[in-house]
Amino acid sequence: MITVLKKKIMLFVAFLAGAAALTGCDDERKIRESQLPDVARDFISRYFQDEKILYAEKDRDDRVITYNVRLSDGSEIEFDESGIWLSVDCKFSPVPDGIVPAAILSHLETYVPGGTEIFKIEKEWGGYEVEISNGRDLVYDGDGNFVREQ
């Protein structure tokens, strides 16, 4: 009798664990360009006017919604729920002018002799992380002040 009860309890616990795992899973689904927030579409048309959207998805992870977009030049952009950019990864070309805060660009002019180009920028908690053309990663605070090199 006790072993039957133990088996039922174990089965119930396994069921609860499986249900918890399923409810915590990511929910990613492909969407049409028209389903992106207006702010995201405006950002793309402003800074990537010659590129086409090849792929867009809406991602829900623990109730946080983000949008991921891949463009025809290989660039990948992540937006928050309202369409504000979170990261821009241009892979094969520099991040377009106007995306990177002026204070970061100003710092790079003096920090890297001979200049450099930014290929990726991410908004992080409290600031930005940028990847420059020589592969170095630099961290800046929310005002664009240099913090450290990673």
Side-chain angles (χ1 to χ4, degrees):
M1 178 96 172
I2 293 177
T3 57
V4 171
L5 184 58
K6 281 185 181 180
K7 286 181 181 178
K8 286 184 178 183
I9 290 173
M10 295 293 281
L11 185 60
F12 181 70
V13 169
F15 172 78
L16 287 179
L22 287 176
T23 58
C25 290
D26 292 347
D27 178 23
E28 299 172 356
R29 64 183 172 95
K30 187 174 178 178
I31 60 172
R32 293 185 303 275
E33 180 179 344
S34 62
Q35 294 174 290
L36 288 169
D38 290 340
V39 174
R41 287 196 319 265
D42 292 344
F43 179 88
I44 293 167
S45 65
R46 178 177 180 182
Y47 294 109
F48 297 92
Q49 54 202 349
D50 295 331
E51 306 307 325
K52 303 280 186 250
I53 294 177
L54 297 180
Y55 179 80
E57 76 177 11
K58 183 177 183 178
D59 184 14
R60 183 186 315 257
D61 187 15
D62 294 329
R63 295 189 216 164
V64 175
I65 294 174
T66 57
Y67 295 91
N68 299 299
V69 175
R70 185 173 307 127
L71 303 177
S72 55
D73 69 347
S75 297
E76 295 180 0
I77 309 167
E78 181 179 10
F79 298 98
D80 69 11
E81 183 174 10
S82 60
I84 305 297
W85 71 270
L86 298 172
S87 69
V88 178
D89 186 354
C90 291
K91 301 198 185 299
F92 307 111
S93 62
V95 171
D97 293 338
I99 295 175
V100 180
I104 293 174
L105 293 173
S106 178
H107 172 262
L108 280 174
E109 288 177 5
T110 58
Y111 189 69
V112 181
T116 189
E117 296 174 316
I118 296 172
F119 283 84
K120 181 177 183 180
I121 183 166
E122 291 182 68
K123 290 181 182 174
E124 295 190 341
W125 190 83
Y128 301 89
E129 181 178 334
V130 299
E131 183 180 311
I132 57 178
S133 55
N134 61 6
R136 294 160 60 187
D137 291 327
L138 309 175
V139 177
Y140 295 86
D141 68 16
D143 295 324
N145 299 307
F146 179 71
V147 175
R148 71 180 180 281
E149 185 170 340
Q150 292 196 52

